Every structure is written in C-alpha cells, then in structure tokens.
Amino acid sequence: VQLQASGGGSVQPGGSLRLSCAVSGRISRVDVTGWYRQAPAQQRELVASISRGGSTNYADSVKGRFTISRDNAKNTVYLQMNSLKPEDTAIYYCNAKSYIPYGDYWGQGTLVTVSS
C-alpha cells in the first residue's frame, strides 16, 4: 500500500485547508485510513480516522473543525480543516492500517503552518 499526501501550506488563523491522501496498491487490504500530526518536540498524534465501513474518529482538539472523508472512486481520503488555530501547526501524515495481515503504512508528511 502506498500513500501520497498533498495539500499542506500556510494559512492565517481562522482559515481553511484541505489535505488529500491518494491510496494505491493493495487497497482492498486497508481497514482504516487516518491522518496523524507531529508538532516540533511533540509526539505524533492521531487527528482523524475513517474505517472501511465509514466510521469516523476525531481527536478532541479538532472535533467540530476538521472533517475526514473518502472518495472511493478516486481512492483518496481528505481532511478538511476549518477554523485553523496556531496550535494546529504540524507536519501531517497520512496513514493506512490493515489487520489481516497486519500492515501499517505511512505517506510522506505535508507541512501545515497556521500563523498571522
């Protein structure tokens, strides 16, 4: 499974960005796709995830502001980020997991900077 993330950039507080993650390879194995982020000197944390069945999960810090979605026809997962705050500044990573057999796949990071 290969993941290609895009859509990062710089935005002012209150602004919006949409991240995209194109998934290729053995897509049928993927059970959960998600976005993680890592800020400087901090641990990587889960931002949002979407399961094969469409169930979503969000970090408390982004609930109501971020939305994860999936376009099955394009094999792409999106993260719509609204009302961005400076504390959202981080490198965002796309991730896919399969359970049987177990697999944990990462895309390259995309930098999101929220600053005035």
Side-chain angles (χ1 to χ4, degrees), residues 9-106:
S10 296
V11 65
Q12 292 186 340
S16 298
L17 283 174
R18 189 178 77 160
L19 305 183
S20 299
C21 176
V23 184
S24 60
R26 295 196 174 187
I27 299 170
S28 61
R29 288 188 174 183
V30 174
D31 293 296
V32 180
T33 309
W35 289 94
Y36 289 72
R37 67 185 180 187
Q38 188 167 19
Q42 294 189 18
Q43 290 187 334
R44 191 173 296 188
E45 63 174 355
L46 175 67
V47 177
S49 65
I50 184 166
S51 71
R52 179 193 298 271
S55 297
T56 57
N57 182 47
Y58 295 93
D60 288 343
S61 59
V62 307
K63 283 181 180 176
R65 300 188 297 122
F66 292 10
T67 303
I68 189 169
S69 62
R70 181 178 62 211
D71 185 332
N72 291 329
K74 296 182 178 179
N75 295 324
T76 300
V77 175
Y78 302 99
L79 184 68
Q80 178 66 44
M81 305 185 293
N82 298 328
S83 303
L84 283 161
K85 304 176 181 180
E87 51 264 45
D88 294 318
T89 295
I91 299 174
Y92 284 70
Y93 297 90
C94 183
N95 173 266
K97 289 183 173 54
S98 64
Y99 297 138
I100 302 175
Y102 180 76
D104 191 17
Y105 310 96
W106 293 91

